[in-house]
Structure formats: structure tokens, C-alpha cells
Amino acid sequence: MGFWKSLFNTSETAAATKVPRSEGLTSSGFAGGTDTRIVFSTDRDIDLYELEELCDAVGWSRRPLRKVKKAIQHSFLVLTMWEQKGSRRRLIGFSRATSDHAFNATIWDVVVHPDFQGRGLGKTLMANLIKKLRSEDISNITLFADPHVVDFYRNLGFMPDPEGIKGMFWYPE
Amino acid sequence: MGFWKSLFNTSETAAATKVPRSEGLTSSGFAGGTDTRIVFSTDRDIDLYELEELCDAVGWSRRPLRKVKKAIQHSFLVLTMWEQKGSRRRLIGFSRATSDHAFNATIWDVVVHPDFQGRGLGKTLMANLIKKLRSEDISNITLFADPHVVDFYRNLGFMPDPEGIKGMFWYPE
């Protein structure tokens, strides 16, 4: 699958004119040097060890890579964020969504590397994920937010418990 | 795809000895006559007009059948409930779940026909859905409950907002 440009033909998050069309479009809001840019991708061919490293960096519990691979394969959409320096690319963000391809999507595993937090990149990652889901005619975009990120998602247009609807988790007895 | 028996080899919800093995196992807790039984199925070959009729009966807004068909195709699991009288079968319950096939599942569109409510059939439908998801090694089973069914799901082992996790819905600006 192609990179970013194959999915989004927006100018909203495309700032750089230097980016080769074959590589994708960069995000605005971050400057790490003349040769550094932020690239987004929907390619699922992700180095699982690199993803594990990213998740380690934010303190997530490790998960069996076999299952992570399966989850990526069976997600409706996977959107990754990379820092690109010359030809070198580093995974700095990840997100994915499950869906019935028609009505509902649920977003899981949103992560931005701590070194890259506080620059609006998480917001850009999410905005692009939403944009893509909407372009696929998904009307109901949902997620389950940990308490410390509820405000982050609220600022992106997510509402907790709308009309009293409750997010619920099943716990084995 | 085969009926009920092909997926669940449980005795928990199998009460009838009269049910031919080729037809599936029946649910306990309901007796509508000697020739009436309740049958469950994971077959996705559902008459969409019959499903629409069921959803109409509980007052749901109509949805384009093209999208309903797509959603059924792309759900991880679909579990339907039927009243069977002789060789005649009537759709009386429906449920489905999206999933990444590895970690998370989200349950959508749980419905039991009003004529069959109050007999524990919704509970049986959900119990079987959960059992199947667990058998597929899904660890995180979630749903979004309307206010009037929060207690129904709570009684089935679902917890609202565990550890402060909030269910959130995106609303277009």
C-alpha cells in the first residue's frame, strides 16, 4: 500500500514542498531541521519490534507480537507517524481502528512517543484518522479514553457519554 | 456455515433433546409448545427485510440495507436467535461484534423482539456471544449501552467506566 498521499489528498496537513511525492506529505507544526519531516502512513508492514519500543516508551504493558500482528492485520485502518531524516525513518506514533466498514468504528492504541508529545502531533494523527474514517462513510466514530486523555479527545470533538450512553467492559467473573 | 452446534459444544444453553443435531441446539428458559424451540445461529445469510422488521419492532431508525449487509459481512461475529416451529423459522433476536481478531471486540445492535422479551432470551443471546468471543481468545469485550439497558449489561458482567475509562463518540462540528 502506498503512503499517505494515496489516501488523503488534503492540504490541511501538508506543509512541505520539499517532500518527494513518492514519500508522502508531511505534517505542519513540527520542524526538526531542514532534513527532518513528519510523515504519515497507512502501510501495515510495520516492524513489530519498533512498535513495541514505541509502546514501551509510554509505559504500556507488553503484548504478544503474534497477537499484535493479527490485530494490525484485522484492523480497518492503521495510521502510523514517522520522523524522517533523509532516508531514515523512525516510528513516533501509532493508531488504529476496528470497524464494520459501514456504520461504526472504534479507535484503539493511540500512542505518540514522549519525545514528540506537546507539539500537536497527536492531534494531527487523530485528525487524519478521523478524516479517513469519515471518507469511508463511517458515521459513528468511538473510543474508550483513559481518564488522563479524556480532555485531549474532547478537544478533538469526542463527547463522553452522549445522551447517557455508557462505555462498558466485560470482566470475567 | 453451520448452525449453532458448529460453534458451541456447550450444555449450558442446550436443553432440548428433541432438536435434530443438524438443526442446532435450543435454548432453555422458553417453551412455546411441543413443536416450538429457540435456535441460535452464526450464519450471516440473513434476510435483510426480516432483520429490518425486527429492528422496526423495537423502534430503531431504519438504515440502508446496503450498509446493513456490509456491516454484517464485516463483523467479526453475528449471532441470531430464531423461534422455530416445525420447519418454519422466525427471526426474534440479533447481535453482532466488531473486532481486531486478537485483543478487542465491541458489541453492536443487540435486539430481542418485544414479544420475546422478559424471558431471559436476551441474556442467553449475550451469554453465548460472550462465550464465543472468549473462545476466540478476545480479552477485551466492550459495548456502548443506552441508559435504559446499562443494568441489563451490568447483570451480565459488564462494568461502566472501569478505572475511569470513558466511552466517547465523535460528533462532526
Side-chain angles (χ1 to χ4, degrees):
Chain A
M1 270 193 295
F3 256 64
W4 175 256
K5 70 174 180 65
S6 67
L7 280 174
F8 309 97
N9 56 352
T10 174
S11 61
E12 187 182 281
T13 57
T17 52
K18 286 181 173 182
V19 186
R21 298 295 293 171
S22 62
E23 300 264 335
L25 302 175
T26 70
S27 165
S28 58
F30 177 69
T34 50
D35 277 87
T36 302
R37 51 189 186 271
I38 303 299
V39 183
F40 294 83
S41 170
T42 55
D43 196 329
R44 291 166 199 233
D45 189 16
I46 300 160
D47 181 332
L48 297 179
Y49 294 100
E50 198 174 2
L51 178 57
E52 188 172 64
E53 207 176 304
L54 172 63
C55 295
D56 282 354
V58 292
W60 287 4
S61 302
R62 286 206 170 177
R63 300 184 291 186
L65 294 190
R66 176 188 58 81
K67 289 194 78 173
V68 172
K69 186 180 177 181
K70 196 174 179 186
I72 287 172
Q73 279 171 342
H74 292 281
S75 290
F76 175 62
L77 177 63
V78 175
L79 187 62
T80 50
M81 184 165 65
W82 307 75
E83 181 198 43
Q84 180 139 6
K85 286 185 180 179
S87 64
R88 209 174 137 265
R89 199 170 265 171
R90 176 187 170 194
L91 183 67
I92 61 164
F94 179 90
S95 59
R96 65 185 178 92
T98 50
S99 176
D100 55 20
H101 300 209
F103 300 110
N104 309 304
T106 312
I107 296 168
W108 306 98
D109 297 349
V110 178
V111 54
V112 174
H113 193 284
D115 294 351
F116 294 82
Q117 290 178 13
R119 305 178 190 186
L121 289 175
K123 191 174 173 178
T124 307
L125 181 68
M126 284 298 297
N128 292 329
L129 192 69
I130 292 165
K131 192 178 186 90
K132 174 63 181 154
L133 291 171
R134 292 287 289 174
S135 78
E136 297 280 348
D137 204 21
I138 302 294
S139 47
N140 188 32
I141 303 175
T142 62
L143 54 79
F144 296 96
D146 283 329
H148 67 284
V149 286
V150 167
D151 284 340
F152 168 76
Y153 289 114
R154 204 195 301 263
N155 289 333
L156 284 163
F158 286 88
M159 196 180 291
D161 302 343
E163 300 172 50
I165 295 171
K166 273 287 174 196
M168 301 185 85
F169 287 65
W170 186 76
Y171 281 80
E173 289 173 78
Chain B
M1 270 193 296
F3 254 64
W4 175 257
K5 71 175 179 65
S6 68
L7 280 174
F8 308 98
N9 56 351
T10 172
S11 61
E12 187 181 281
T13 57
T17 53
K18 286 181 172 183
V19 185
R21 298 297 292 171
S22 63
E23 300 265 336
L25 303 175
T26 70
S27 165
S28 58
F30 177 69
T34 49
D35 276 86
T36 301
R37 50 189 186 273
I38 303 299
V39 183
F40 293 84
S41 170
T42 57
D43 196 330
R44 291 167 200 231
D45 189 15
I46 301 160
D47 180 332
L48 297 179
Y49 294 99
E50 197 174 3
L51 178 58
E52 189 173 64
E53 207 175 307
L54 172 62
C55 296
D56 282 353
V58 292
W60 288 3
S61 301
R62 287 207 170 177
R63 300 183 291 185
L65 294 189
R66 176 189 58 82
K67 290 195 79 173
V68 172
K69 186 180 178 181
K70 196 175 181 187
I72 288 173
Q73 279 171 342
H74 292 281
S75 290
F76 175 63
L77 177 63
V78 175
L79 187 62
T80 49
M81 185 164 67
W82 307 76
E83 180 198 43
Q84 180 140 7
K85 286 186 180 178
S87 64
R88 206 171 139 267
R89 200 170 266 170
R90 175 186 172 194
L91 183 66
I92 61 164
F94 180 89
S95 60
R96 64 185 179 92
T98 49
S99 176
D100 55 21
H101 300 209
F103 301 110
N104 309 304
T106 312
I107 295 168
W108 306 98
D109 298 348
V110 178
V111 54
V112 174
H113 193 284
D115 293 351
F116 294 82
Q117 289 178 13
R119 305 177 189 187
L121 289 176
K123 191 174 174 177
T124 306
L125 181 69
M126 284 298 297
N128 292 327
L129 192 70
I130 292 166
K131 193 178 185 92
K132 175 63 182 154
L133 292 171
R134 292 287 290 173
S135 77
E136 297 280 347
D137 204 21
I138 302 294
S139 46
N140 188 33
I141 303 174
T142 62
L143 55 78
F144 297 95
D146 283 328
H148 67 285
V149 286
V150 166
D151 285 340
F152 168 76
Y153 288 115
R154 203 194 302 264
N155 289 335
L156 284 163
F158 285 88
M159 195 180 292
D161 302 344
E163 299 172 51
I165 296 171
K166 273 286 173 198
M168 302 184 85
F169 287 65
W170 186 76
Y171 281 79
E173 287 173 82

